[in-house]
Amino acid sequence: MRVTAAAGLVALALGVLAQGAAGAPKAACPATWARGWQKLADKVGAPVYCPTWMPNPLDAHIGGQYQDIYSISKDRSYLVGFLEHGDLGSGDVHVNFRGYPGRSTIPTCPGPVGDTKVPCFADPVGHMTANGIRATVYQVNQGADQWHVLLLWHYRGSLYTVSQHVIVPYDSATRVKQNLQRLLKSLVLVQPAR
Amino acid sequence: MRLTRRTFLGGAAAAAVGGGIYELVDRLGSAPARPLAEPAGMPAEQHLLDLATTHSEGVEVVVPPLHSAVVTANLDNLSDLHGAQRQLEDVLRRIDSTYALTPAGLGVTVAWSQTYFDTYVSAQAKAHLPYDRRAQKSVLVPTRRFPSDPSNTILEANDVAVLLRSDRVEHIDAARKDIFDLPFFTVTSIRRGFAGGGFGGGQSLPKKMAVAAGVPGADLIPDGSELFLGFTSTQKAALGPGTIANHETLGYVDLRSGYFRNGTHMHLSHISEDLEAWYLNFDFDERVLTAFRPGMTNVRQGMQTVPQGPAAVSPEAELVRQFHKTGRFGHSASIQVTSRLLQDTVGEDGTHYPKGTAIPQRADFNTLDNPFAFSADPKHDGLSNEPAAGVHFVVFNPSGDDFERNRLAMDGVLPDGKKLSVPPRNRAAGFNSVLTTTHRQNFLVPPRRHRSFPLAEL
């Protein structure tokens, strides 16, 4: 009991009791993942979204066995990816989380041909709403999100995304969108420590 | 109707040479209304099929037959060439009398390869095969690979190919059986597919079929798309009119004896299409400039029927200029340099063809064959029961060289020797990065009067 209470206090201190974008209380970032997401929020000085569910077999433990890319740029934008690579033909499960603190416009990426720039996220094909978040579904994405379906939304003047690769075992955009809907529903905000 | 992948694959495996997965066409699509009247007479050309038109996004489009099939075969046990000629012609005449020459009935096109001419009628062929004056070679050229083809593209050597087109799969199946039950044919492959639907709203047949088969990227195909890649390819103004693809019409070809007047050249290939790459890596704007040409910025998001009439054709200089400016070229823009008339032209029969008129007559259709519905040599052909998105590309040109000019232009190799230098299958070269050609072969389509074992009677 004492341990539980202490953990609760720590969680409160770190600000990881989650709130959806609409402000309604939600579940907390899972205890084993919370530390990493809190550190990320602190580093970028802005709220970040921690998932409470991930497509099988991934978890969202930053520093854990599935963490792939962990990158924070000078402008405080971040990319955190989780990847399970199936060497024996079982396929890949790859989920990326991005945040662009203070930025509300879609960034540009190097174009696929010639010396051009293209939107990093393009071909909007609809919307998903869950957890107080209304996200736009983008189907053609660049860089680490290439071949992914991506959800993009805004929160307090900042842009956030989550995406998943369309590949076996989640081998259709329809199946990936189902995962993204569930991910969206599972997101909890982690505030930076004051 | 919901089909599980298991149900779908089970159906495919159970009926390799029957209707198989393509019976879904009858379940998922309905035949467009067609006039039932028998045409007054059979045209001299085998490759012509009278197709109705409708409008899609304000553009007149030809309504393709729902079903198509190509059966290839070799000749075997052929001791009596004249007898075989009579037997096949008898069967074809029976088919002619059974079905109207419309999509509601059946269109049959019998095409013969260099292998046939060399093996069975070589002396006659030397004297009678038309000669391409422009290319200074026979109209029937050896099948070849093109710069964007993989090194393992199979160059086939079938003796004969029969194209069957109808809105009714049972017409195709019955005719196929009648023709290929003849004792001298050994079927080497059966290729089946579908096109169209969707012009009246709702999901098109290719979309429904691809989703039912569960091929990668199926759910990304726009609902009303005539073909898998999302754009309408049967615009009337973008297809060769009337007899323009006949050997004799444009004057490219010396008919020599005239035996093959009203004939044409047919190229047949199978091309795999990577739908996921197309829809997940190319946004709509890039799909437009890839399918058509760079600089097309006025196309409404989601548009499928992008006007491609004679006035939309850009000259070679514009193609080269755009390439130097953007580092890429579009599929249509590169091909149109050779596939459209560069000036107003009067055909041999006096028909006036305006500058920009298309020359090739296409009869391609989407498929879920991988790569064929049936192969006599499954290992060699890489046959798989797993459905795969692709196209059986069938096109009629006045000569084999004319086809090659178009196909080379698709790879950025222009007829005057200019090269738009892009690595093979690069994203900058039109559709090439999402297409993989598995098989190719050239054929000659004789006129209807000589469709059965051409030259055998001489």
PDB file of all heavy atoms in Angstrom, chain B residues 143-145 149-158 191 267-270 371-372 375 377-383 436-442:
ATOM      1  N   THR B 143      10.309 -10.239 -80.386  1.00  0.00           N
ATOM      2  CA  THR B 143       9.944  -9.699 -79.075  1.00  0.00           C
ATOM      3  C   THR B 143      11.220  -9.343 -78.312  1.00  0.00           C
ATOM      4  O   THR B 143      12.196 -10.096 -78.337  1.00  0.00           O
ATOM      5  CB  THR B 143       9.138 -10.739 -78.289  1.00  0.00           C
ATOM      6  OG1 THR B 143       8.036 -11.155 -79.096  1.00  0.00           O
ATOM      7  CG2 THR B 143       8.614 -10.169 -76.989  1.00  0.00           C
ATOM      8  N   ARG B 144      11.188  -8.213 -77.635  1.00  0.00           N
ATOM      9  CA  ARG B 144      12.388  -7.736 -76.944  1.00  0.00           C
ATOM     10  C   ARG B 144      12.030  -7.192 -75.559  1.00  0.00           C
ATOM     11  O   ARG B 144      10.862  -6.957 -75.252  1.00  0.00           O
ATOM     12  CB  ARG B 144      13.052  -6.624 -77.753  1.00  0.00           C
ATOM     13  CG  ARG B 144      12.115  -5.449 -78.013  1.00  0.00           C
ATOM     14  CD  ARG B 144      12.848  -4.216 -78.469  1.00  0.00           C
ATOM     15  NE  ARG B 144      13.579  -3.599 -77.373  1.00  0.00           N
ATOM     16  CZ  ARG B 144      14.265  -2.466 -77.482  1.00  0.00           C
ATOM     17  NH1 ARG B 144      14.334  -1.848 -78.643  1.00  0.00           N
ATOM     18  NH2 ARG B 144      14.883  -1.948 -76.451  1.00  0.00           N
ATOM     19  N   ARG B 145      13.068  -7.031 -74.747  1.00  0.00           N
ATOM     20  CA  ARG B 145      12.890  -6.329 -73.482  1.00  0.00           C
ATOM     21  C   ARG B 145      13.161  -4.841 -73.704  1.00  0.00           C
ATOM     22  O   ARG B 145      13.885  -4.473 -74.636  1.00  0.00           O
ATOM     23  CB  ARG B 145      13.848  -6.867 -72.410  1.00  0.00           C
ATOM     24  CG  ARG B 145      13.569  -8.294 -72.025  1.00  0.00           C
ATOM     25  CD  ARG B 145      14.461  -8.755 -70.870  1.00  0.00           C
ATOM     26  NE  ARG B 145      14.289 -10.184 -70.664  1.00  0.00           N
ATOM     27  CZ  ARG B 145      14.988 -11.129 -71.280  1.00  0.00           C
ATOM     28  NH1 ARG B 145      15.959 -10.785 -72.116  1.00  0.00           N
ATOM     29  NH2 ARG B 145      14.741 -12.405 -71.064  1.00  0.00           N
ATOM     30  N   ASP B 149      12.382  -2.904 -68.289  1.00  0.00           N
ATOM     31  CA  ASP B 149      12.010  -4.289 -67.982  1.00  0.00           C
ATOM     32  C   ASP B 149      13.073  -4.936 -67.104  1.00  0.00           C
ATOM     33  O   ASP B 149      14.276  -4.725 -67.315  1.00  0.00           O
ATOM     34  CB  ASP B 149      11.905  -5.126 -69.270  1.00  0.00           C
ATOM     35  CG  ASP B 149      10.653  -4.814 -70.063  1.00  0.00           C
ATOM     36  OD1 ASP B 149       9.741  -4.172 -69.513  1.00  0.00           O
ATOM     37  OD2 ASP B 149      10.595  -5.225 -71.243  1.00  0.00           O
ATOM     38  N   PRO B 150      12.660  -5.757 -66.155  1.00  0.00           N
ATOM     39  CA  PRO B 150      13.648  -6.546 -65.419  1.00  0.00           C
ATOM     40  C   PRO B 150      14.357  -7.513 -66.371  1.00  0.00           C
ATOM     41  O   PRO B 150      13.823  -7.866 -67.428  1.00  0.00           O
ATOM     42  CB  PRO B 150      12.802  -7.328 -64.404  1.00  0.00           C
ATOM     43  CG  PRO B 150      11.469  -6.670 -64.388  1.00  0.00           C
ATOM     44  CD  PRO B 150      11.293  -6.015 -65.711  1.00  0.00           C
ATOM     45  N   SER B 151      15.544  -7.954 -65.974  1.00  0.00           N
ATOM     46  CA  SER B 151      16.293  -8.863 -66.848  1.00  0.00           C
ATOM     47  C   SER B 151      15.610 -10.219 -66.972  1.00  0.00           C
ATOM     48  O   SER B 151      15.897 -10.980 -67.898  1.00  0.00           O
ATOM     49  CB  SER B 151      17.716  -9.045 -66.311  1.00  0.00           C
ATOM     50  OG  SER B 151      17.647  -9.569 -64.996  1.00  0.00           O
ATOM     51  N   ASN B 152      14.691 -10.507 -66.063  1.00  0.00           N
ATOM     52  CA  ASN B 152      14.022 -11.815 -66.131  1.00  0.00           C
ATOM     53  C   ASN B 152      12.630 -11.750 -66.754  1.00  0.00           C
ATOM     54  O   ASN B 152      11.857 -12.704 -66.643  1.00  0.00           O
ATOM     55  CB  ASN B 152      13.948 -12.455 -64.738  1.00  0.00           C
ATOM     56  CG  ASN B 152      13.146 -11.615 -63.760  1.00  0.00           C
ATOM     57  OD1 ASN B 152      12.761 -10.493 -64.079  1.00  0.00           O
ATOM     58  ND2 ASN B 152      12.893 -12.156 -62.578  1.00  0.00           N
ATOM     59  N   THR B 153      12.310 -10.630 -67.406  1.00  0.00           N
ATOM     60  CA  THR B 153      11.052 -10.599 -68.161  1.00  0.00           C
ATOM     61  C   THR B 153      11.081 -11.710 -69.201  1.00  0.00           C
ATOM     62  O   THR B 153      12.043 -11.818 -69.973  1.00  0.00           O
ATOM     63  CB  THR B 153      10.877  -9.233 -68.869  1.00  0.00           C
ATOM     64  OG1 THR B 153      10.822  -8.216 -67.883  1.00  0.00           O
ATOM     65  CG2 THR B 153       9.610  -9.205 -69.705  1.00  0.00           C
ATOM     66  N   ILE B 154      10.066 -12.540 -69.216  1.00  0.00           N
ATOM     67  CA  ILE B 154      10.046 -13.699 -70.113  1.00  0.00           C
ATOM     68  C   ILE B 154       9.575 -13.271 -71.503  1.00  0.00           C
ATOM     69  O   ILE B 154       8.496 -12.677 -71.639  1.00  0.00           O
ATOM     70  CB  ILE B 154       9.137 -14.804 -69.538  1.00  0.00           C
ATOM     71  CG1 ILE B 154       9.736 -15.353 -68.235  1.00  0.00           C
ATOM     72  CG2 ILE B 154       8.931 -15.924 -70.555  1.00  0.00           C
ATOM     73  CD1 ILE B 154       8.824 -16.307 -67.480  1.00  0.00           C
ATOM     74  N   LEU B 155      10.394 -13.558 -72.505  1.00  0.00           N
ATOM     75  CA  LEU B 155      10.011 -13.303 -73.892  1.00  0.00           C
ATOM     76  C   LEU B 155       9.411 -14.604 -74.415  1.00  0.00           C
ATOM     77  O   LEU B 155      10.106 -15.609 -74.554  1.00  0.00           O
ATOM     78  CB  LEU B 155      11.221 -12.871 -74.715  1.00  0.00           C
ATOM     79  CG  LEU B 155      11.973 -11.653 -74.141  1.00  0.00           C
ATOM     80  CD1 LEU B 155      13.154 -11.283 -75.040  1.00  0.00           C
ATOM     81  CD2 LEU B 155      11.045 -10.457 -73.955  1.00  0.00           C
ATOM     82  N   GLU B 156       8.130 -14.591 -74.664  1.00  0.00           N
ATOM     83  CA  GLU B 156       7.412 -15.825 -74.955  1.00  0.00           C
ATOM     84  C   GLU B 156       7.518 -16.221 -76.427  1.00  0.00           C
ATOM     85  O   GLU B 156       7.842 -15.394 -77.286  1.00  0.00           O
ATOM     86  CB  GLU B 156       5.942 -15.668 -74.569  1.00  0.00           C
ATOM     87  CG  GLU B 156       5.750 -15.406 -73.086  1.00  0.00           C
ATOM     88  CD  GLU B 156       4.281 -15.337 -72.722  1.00  0.00           C
ATOM     89  OE1 GLU B 156       3.721 -16.407 -72.410  1.00  0.00           O
ATOM     90  OE2 GLU B 156       3.707 -14.244 -72.767  1.00  0.00           O
ATOM     91  N   ALA B 157       7.193 -17.462 -76.681  1.00  0.00           N
ATOM     92  CA  ALA B 157       7.270 -17.984 -78.050  1.00  0.00           C
ATOM     93  C   ALA B 157       6.048 -18.849 -78.345  1.00  0.00           C
ATOM     94  O   ALA B 157       6.160 -19.933 -78.917  1.00  0.00           O
ATOM     95  CB  ALA B 157       8.561 -18.774 -78.233  1.00  0.00           C
ATOM     96  N   ASN B 158       4.882 -18.365 -77.953  1.00  0.00           N
ATOM     97  CA  ASN B 158       3.655 -19.091 -78.287  1.00  0.00           C
ATOM     98  C   ASN B 158       3.404 -18.988 -79.790  1.00  0.00           C
ATOM     99  O   ASN B 158       3.781 -18.007 -80.432  1.00  0.00           O
ATOM    100  CB  ASN B 158       2.467 -18.483 -77.541  1.00  0.00           C
ATOM    101  CG  ASN B 158       2.665 -18.525 -76.032  1.00  0.00           C
ATOM    102  OD1 ASN B 158       2.691 -19.588 -75.448  1.00  0.00           O
ATOM    103  ND2 ASN B 158       2.838 -17.360 -75.411  1.00  0.00           N
ATOM    104  N   ARG B 191      -5.241 -16.250 -69.557  1.00  0.00           N
ATOM    105  CA  ARG B 191      -5.098 -14.971 -68.847  1.00  0.00           C
ATOM    106  C   ARG B 191      -6.478 -14.325 -68.809  1.00  0.00           C
ATOM    107  O   ARG B 191      -7.120 -14.193 -69.846  1.00  0.00           O
ATOM    108  CB  ARG B 191      -4.103 -14.080 -69.595  1.00  0.00           C
ATOM    109  CG  ARG B 191      -2.829 -14.833 -69.934  1.00  0.00           C
ATOM    110  CD  ARG B 191      -1.968 -14.123 -70.970  1.00  0.00           C
ATOM    111  NE  ARG B 191      -0.981 -15.065 -71.495  1.00  0.00           N
ATOM    112  CZ  ARG B 191       0.254 -14.750 -71.837  1.00  0.00           C
ATOM    113  NH1 ARG B 191       0.679 -13.512 -71.738  1.00  0.00           N
ATOM    114  NH2 ARG B 191       1.080 -15.679 -72.303  1.00  0.00           N
ATOM    115  N   HIS B 267       0.627  -6.463 -79.501  1.00  0.00           N
ATOM    116  CA  HIS B 267       1.588  -6.783 -78.450  1.00  0.00           C
ATOM    117  C   HIS B 267       0.814  -7.219 -77.218  1.00  0.00           C
ATOM    118  O   HIS B 267      -0.203  -6.606 -76.854  1.00  0.00           O
ATOM    119  CB  HIS B 267       2.466  -5.581 -78.093  1.00  0.00           C
ATOM    120  CG  HIS B 267       3.486  -5.905 -77.040  1.00  0.00           C
ATOM    121  ND1 HIS B 267       4.649  -6.591 -77.337  1.00  0.00           N
ATOM    122  CD2 HIS B 267       3.502  -5.696 -75.711  1.00  0.00           C
ATOM    123  CE1 HIS B 267       5.344  -6.765 -76.218  1.00  0.00           C
ATOM    124  NE2 HIS B 267       4.660  -6.250 -75.210  1.00  0.00           N
ATOM    125  N   LEU B 268       1.310  -8.278 -76.595  1.00  0.00           N
ATOM    126  CA  LEU B 268       0.676  -8.834 -75.396  1.00  0.00           C
ATOM    127  C   LEU B 268       1.727  -8.891 -74.291  1.00  0.00           C
ATOM    128  O   LEU B 268       2.818  -9.427 -74.490  1.00  0.00           O
ATOM    129  CB  LEU B 268       0.170 -10.250 -75.702  1.00  0.00           C
ATOM    130  CG  LEU B 268      -0.316 -11.095 -74.509  1.00  0.00           C
ATOM    131  CD1 LEU B 268      -1.582 -10.499 -73.903  1.00  0.00           C
ATOM    132  CD2 LEU B 268      -0.574 -12.538 -74.964  1.00  0.00           C
ATOM    133  N   SER B 269       1.405  -8.317 -73.134  1.00  0.00           N
ATOM    134  CA  SER B 269       2.324  -8.448 -71.998  1.00  0.00           C
ATOM    135  C   SER B 269       1.530  -8.548 -70.712  1.00  0.00           C
ATOM    136  O   SER B 269       0.340  -8.207 -70.665  1.00  0.00           O
ATOM    137  CB  SER B 269       3.305  -7.276 -71.940  1.00  0.00           C
ATOM    138  OG  SER B 269       2.621  -6.050 -71.897  1.00  0.00           O
ATOM    139  N   HIS B 270       2.203  -9.062 -69.702  1.00  0.00           N
ATOM    140  CA  HIS B 270       1.619  -9.039 -68.354  1.00  0.00           C
ATOM    141  C   HIS B 270       2.477  -8.137 -67.495  1.00  0.00           C
ATOM    142  O   HIS B 270       3.707  -8.253 -67.485  1.00  0.00           O
ATOM    143  CB  HIS B 270       1.554 -10.436 -67.727  1.00  0.00           C
ATOM    144  CG  HIS B 270       1.178 -10.360 -66.270  1.00  0.00           C
ATOM    145  ND1 HIS B 270       2.116 -10.366 -65.258  1.00  0.00           N
ATOM    146  CD2 HIS B 270      -0.019 -10.192 -65.662  1.00  0.00           C
ATOM    147  CE1 HIS B 270       1.500 -10.231 -64.092  1.00  0.00           C
ATOM    148  NE2 HIS B 270       0.201 -10.127 -64.301  1.00  0.00           N
ATOM    149  N   PRO B 371       1.126 -14.919 -62.631  1.00  0.00           N
ATOM    150  CA  PRO B 371       0.739 -13.885 -63.581  1.00  0.00           C
ATOM    151  C   PRO B 371      -0.406 -14.333 -64.486  1.00  0.00           C
ATOM    152  O   PRO B 371      -1.002 -13.504 -65.162  1.00  0.00           O
ATOM    153  CB  PRO B 371       2.007 -13.671 -64.404  1.00  0.00           C
ATOM    154  CG  PRO B 371       2.632 -15.025 -64.446  1.00  0.00           C
ATOM    155  CD  PRO B 371       2.304 -15.676 -63.129  1.00  0.00           C
ATOM    156  N   PHE B 372      -0.678 -15.649 -64.515  1.00  0.00           N
ATOM    157  CA  PHE B 372      -1.743 -16.154 -65.378  1.00  0.00           C
ATOM    158  C   PHE B 372      -2.749 -16.950 -64.549  1.00  0.00           C
ATOM    159  O   PHE B 372      -2.435 -17.393 -63.433  1.00  0.00           O
ATOM    160  CB  PHE B 372      -1.178 -17.087 -66.466  1.00  0.00           C
ATOM    161  CG  PHE B 372      -0.099 -16.459 -67.320  1.00  0.00           C
ATOM    162  CD1 PHE B 372       0.961 -17.227 -67.797  1.00  0.00           C
ATOM    163  CD2 PHE B 372      -0.127 -15.118 -67.643  1.00  0.00           C
ATOM    164  CE1 PHE B 372       1.964 -16.661 -68.575  1.00  0.00           C
ATOM    165  CE2 PHE B 372       0.868 -14.537 -68.411  1.00  0.00           C
ATOM    166  CZ  PHE B 372       1.916 -15.312 -68.881  1.00  0.00           C
ATOM    167  N   SER B 375      -1.140 -21.953 -66.468  1.00  0.00           N
ATOM    168  CA  SER B 375       0.075 -22.056 -67.276  1.00  0.00           C
ATOM    169  C   SER B 375       0.407 -23.526 -67.459  1.00  0.00           C
ATOM    170  O   SER B 375       0.305 -24.316 -66.505  1.00  0.00           O
ATOM    171  CB  SER B 375       1.243 -21.349 -66.589  1.00  0.00           C
ATOM    172  OG  SER B 375       2.464 -21.720 -67.213  1.00  0.00           O
ATOM    173  N   ASP B 377       3.313 -24.420 -67.989  1.00  0.00           N
ATOM    174  CA  ASP B 377       4.633 -24.540 -67.369  1.00  0.00           C
ATOM    175  C   ASP B 377       4.689 -23.596 -66.171  1.00  0.00           C
ATOM    176  O   ASP B 377       5.315 -22.525 -66.221  1.00  0.00           O
ATOM    177  CB  ASP B 377       5.721 -24.185 -68.399  1.00  0.00           C
ATOM    178  CG  ASP B 377       7.112 -24.531 -67.910  1.00  0.00           C
ATOM    179  OD1 ASP B 377       7.264 -24.822 -66.693  1.00  0.00           O
ATOM    180  OD2 ASP B 377       8.051 -24.498 -68.721  1.00  0.00           O
ATOM    181  N   PRO B 378       4.008 -23.981 -65.101  1.00  0.00           N
ATOM    182  CA  PRO B 378       3.842 -23.052 -63.972  1.00  0.00           C
ATOM    183  C   PRO B 378       5.161 -22.572 -63.381  1.00  0.00           C
ATOM    184  O   PRO B 378       5.281 -21.414 -62.970  1.00  0.00           O
ATOM    185  CB  PRO B 378       3.060 -23.869 -62.941  1.00  0.00           C
ATOM    186  CG  PRO B 378       2.579 -25.086 -63.618  1.00  0.00           C
ATOM    187  CD  PRO B 378       3.373 -25.272 -64.870  1.00  0.00           C
ATOM    188  N   LYS B 379       6.146 -23.443 -63.342  1.00  0.00           N
ATOM    189  CA  LYS B 379       7.426 -23.052 -62.747  1.00  0.00           C
ATOM    190  C   LYS B 379       8.104 -21.976 -63.600  1.00  0.00           C
ATOM    191  O   LYS B 379       8.571 -20.955 -63.095  1.00  0.00           O
ATOM    192  CB  LYS B 379       8.327 -24.282 -62.612  1.00  0.00           C
ATOM    193  CG  LYS B 379       9.562 -24.029 -61.782  1.00  0.00           C
ATOM    194  CD  LYS B 379      10.345 -25.294 -61.559  1.00  0.00           C
ATOM    195  CE  LYS B 379      11.635 -24.978 -60.813  1.00  0.00           C
ATOM    196  NZ  LYS B 379      12.503 -26.144 -60.707  1.00  0.00           N
ATOM    197  N   HIS B 380       8.143 -22.221 -64.896  1.00  0.00           N
ATOM    198  CA  HIS B 380       8.771 -21.269 -65.816  1.00  0.00           C
ATOM    199  C   HIS B 380       8.064 -19.911 -65.760  1.00  0.00           C
ATOM    200  O   HIS B 380       8.715 -18.859 -65.764  1.00  0.00           O
ATOM    201  CB  HIS B 380       8.715 -21.833 -67.237  1.00  0.00           C
ATOM    202  CG  HIS B 380       9.229 -20.892 -68.283  1.00  0.00           C
ATOM    203  ND1 HIS B 380      10.560 -20.593 -68.424  1.00  0.00           N
ATOM    204  CD2 HIS B 380       8.583 -20.169 -69.233  1.00  0.00           C
ATOM    205  CE1 HIS B 380      10.722 -19.738 -69.418  1.00  0.00           C
ATOM    206  NE2 HIS B 380       9.526 -19.460 -69.925  1.00  0.00           N
ATOM    207  N   ASP B 381       6.730 -19.956 -65.689  1.00  0.00           N
ATOM    208  CA  ASP B 381       5.968 -18.700 -65.712  1.00  0.00           C
ATOM    209  C   ASP B 381       5.850 -18.057 -64.334  1.00  0.00           C
ATOM    210  O   ASP B 381       5.300 -16.966 -64.210  1.00  0.00           O
ATOM    211  CB  ASP B 381       4.566 -18.947 -66.291  1.00  0.00           C
ATOM    212  CG  ASP B 381       4.604 -19.120 -67.805  1.00  0.00           C
ATOM    213  OD1 ASP B 381       5.416 -18.432 -68.452  1.00  0.00           O
ATOM    214  OD2 ASP B 381       3.840 -19.944 -68.336  1.00  0.00           O
ATOM    215  N   GLY B 382       6.316 -18.736 -63.296  1.00  0.00           N
ATOM    216  CA  GLY B 382       6.225 -18.183 -61.945  1.00  0.00           C
ATOM    217  C   GLY B 382       4.800 -18.115 -61.434  1.00  0.00           C
ATOM    218  O   GLY B 382       4.418 -17.188 -60.725  1.00  0.00           O
ATOM    219  N   LEU B 383       4.014 -19.122 -61.790  1.00  0.00           N
ATOM    220  CA  LEU B 383       2.589 -19.110 -61.442  1.00  0.00           C
ATOM    221  C   LEU B 383       2.383 -19.236 -59.937  1.00  0.00           C
ATOM    222  O   LEU B 383       3.036 -20.026 -59.267  1.00  0.00           O
ATOM    223  CB  LEU B 383       1.892 -20.277 -62.149  1.00  0.00           C
ATOM    224  CG  LEU B 383       0.372 -20.213 -62.204  1.00  0.00           C
ATOM    225  CD1 LEU B 383      -0.080 -19.170 -63.209  1.00  0.00           C
ATOM    226  CD2 LEU B 383      -0.204 -21.573 -62.583  1.00  0.00           C
ATOM    227  N   THR B 436       5.999  -3.800 -63.149  1.00  0.00           N
ATOM    228  CA  THR B 436       7.008  -4.822 -63.444  1.00  0.00           C
ATOM    229  C   THR B 436       6.457  -5.746 -64.528  1.00  0.00           C
ATOM    230  O   THR B 436       5.449  -6.421 -64.311  1.00  0.00           O
ATOM    231  CB  THR B 436       7.331  -5.663 -62.194  1.00  0.00           C
ATOM    232  OG1 THR B 436       7.714  -4.787 -61.131  1.00  0.00           O
ATOM    233  CG2 THR B 436       8.453  -6.650 -62.478  1.00  0.00           C
ATOM    234  N   THR B 437       7.112  -5.740 -65.672  1.00  0.00           N
ATOM    235  CA  THR B 437       6.643  -6.586 -66.772  1.00  0.00           C
ATOM    236  C   THR B 437       7.190  -7.992 -66.596  1.00  0.00           C
ATOM    237  O   THR B 437       8.406  -8.175 -66.465  1.00  0.00           O
ATOM    238  CB  THR B 437       7.100  -6.014 -68.124  1.00  0.00           C
ATOM    239  OG1 THR B 437       6.647  -4.671 -68.203  1.00  0.00           O
ATOM    240  CG2 THR B 437       6.525  -6.810 -69.285  1.00  0.00           C
ATOM    241  N   THR B 438       6.300  -8.972 -66.595  1.00  0.00           N
ATOM    242  CA  THR B 438       6.745 -10.352 -66.404  1.00  0.00           C
ATOM    243  C   THR B 438       6.869 -11.116 -67.717  1.00  0.00           C
ATOM    244  O   THR B 438       7.720 -12.000 -67.828  1.00  0.00           O
ATOM    245  CB  THR B 438       5.789 -11.123 -65.480  1.00  0.00           C
ATOM    246  OG1 THR B 438       4.531 -11.301 -66.148  1.00  0.00           O
ATOM    247  CG2 THR B 438       5.567 -10.395 -64.151  1.00  0.00           C
ATOM    248  N   HIS B 439       6.010 -10.821 -68.689  1.00  0.00           N
ATOM    249  CA  HIS B 439       5.983 -11.569 -69.944  1.00  0.00           C
ATOM    250  C   HIS B 439       5.698 -10.616 -71.108  1.00  0.00           C
ATOM    251  O   HIS B 439       4.956  -9.645 -70.934  1.00  0.00           O
ATOM    252  CB  HIS B 439       4.863 -12.626 -69.945  1.00  0.00           C
ATOM    253  CG  HIS B 439       5.060 -13.736 -68.967  1.00  0.00           C
ATOM    254  ND1 HIS B 439       4.941 -13.564 -67.607  1.00  0.00           N
ATOM    255  CD2 HIS B 439       5.352 -15.055 -69.162  1.00  0.00           C
ATOM    256  CE1 HIS B 439       5.164 -14.718 -67.001  1.00  0.00           C
ATOM    257  NE2 HIS B 439       5.415 -15.645 -67.916  1.00  0.00           N
ATOM    258  N   ARG B 440       6.256 -10.946 -72.256  1.00  0.00           N
ATOM    259  CA  ARG B 440       5.976 -10.169 -73.473  1.00  0.00           C
ATOM    260  C   ARG B 440       5.935 -11.086 -74.692  1.00  0.00           C
ATOM    261  O   ARG B 440       6.686 -12.066 -74.746  1.00  0.00           O
ATOM    262  CB  ARG B 440       7.101  -9.158 -73.752  1.00  0.00           C
ATOM    263  CG  ARG B 440       7.209  -8.012 -72.800  1.00  0.00           C
ATOM    264  CD  ARG B 440       8.147  -6.935 -73.367  1.00  0.00           C
ATOM    265  NE  ARG B 440       8.241  -5.818 -72.462  1.00  0.00           N
ATOM    266  CZ  ARG B 440       7.307  -4.877 -72.341  1.00  0.00           C
ATOM    267  NH1 ARG B 440       6.224  -4.926 -73.091  1.00  0.00           N
ATOM    268  NH2 ARG B 440       7.453  -3.893 -71.496  1.00  0.00           N
ATOM    269  N   GLN B 441       5.111 -10.704 -75.661  1.00  0.00           N
ATOM    270  CA  GLN B 441       5.201 -11.343 -76.980  1.00  0.00           C
ATOM    271  C   GLN B 441       4.493 -10.492 -78.033  1.00  0.00           C
ATOM    272  O   GLN B 441       3.465  -9.867 -77.761  1.00  0.00           O
ATOM    273  CB  GLN B 441       4.605 -12.759 -76.986  1.00  0.00           C
ATOM    274  CG  GLN B 441       4.961 -13.494 -78.284  1.00  0.00           C
ATOM    275  CD  GLN B 441       4.547 -14.946 -78.324  1.00  0.00           C
ATOM    276  OE1 GLN B 441       3.908 -15.451 -77.406  1.00  0.00           O
ATOM    277  NE2 GLN B 441       4.905 -15.633 -79.407  1.00  0.00           N
ATOM    278  N   ASN B 442       5.064 -10.503 -79.233  1.00  0.00           N
ATOM    279  CA  ASN B 442       4.468  -9.816 -80.385  1.00  0.00           C
ATOM    280  C   ASN B 442       3.699 -10.809 -81.246  1.00  0.00           C
ATOM    281  O   ASN B 442       4.109 -11.983 -81.394  1.00  0.00           O
ATOM    282  CB  ASN B 442       5.560  -9.181 -81.255  1.00  0.00           C
ATOM    283  CG  ASN B 442       6.255  -8.033 -80.548  1.00  0.00           C
ATOM    284  OD1 ASN B 442       5.655  -7.351 -79.723  1.00  0.00           O
ATOM    285  ND2 ASN B 442       7.531  -7.834 -80.865  1.00  0.00           N
TER     286      ASN B 442
END
